Amino acid sequence: MSRKLVRPRQGRMIAGVCAGLGQRFGMSAGMVRLLFLLSLLLPGTQVIIYLILWVLMPNEDRYLATR
């Protein structure tokens, strides 16, 4: 779990948030996407959190360039 939280270039569907979370926590991107879709059935601010993560998580290219 020592990987940084970034949005990867490969495996994106919309913004790469689910793929980045999956890489960070050692899960498949598909599993994270499924959990996100299931969470939409519950009341809450899931979409707002997704949008915030989209803005805050750097692109993998940008992260590698600053290293």
Side-chain angles (χ1 to χ4, degrees), residues 19-60:
L21 289 172
Q23 281 184 357
R24 170 63 174 90
F25 294 109
M27 300 171 64
S28 71
M31 179 60 74
V32 177
R33 289 179 188 119
L34 178 64
L35 290 173
F36 176 73
L37 288 175
L38 289 175
S39 75
L40 291 176
L41 299 174
L42 301 171
T45 59
Q46 297 88 334
V47 174
I48 294 171
I49 292 171
Y50 185 92
L51 293 173
I52 290 170
L53 286 174
W54 188 351
V55 171
L56 293 179
M57 286 174 63
N59 267 339
E60 185 176 43

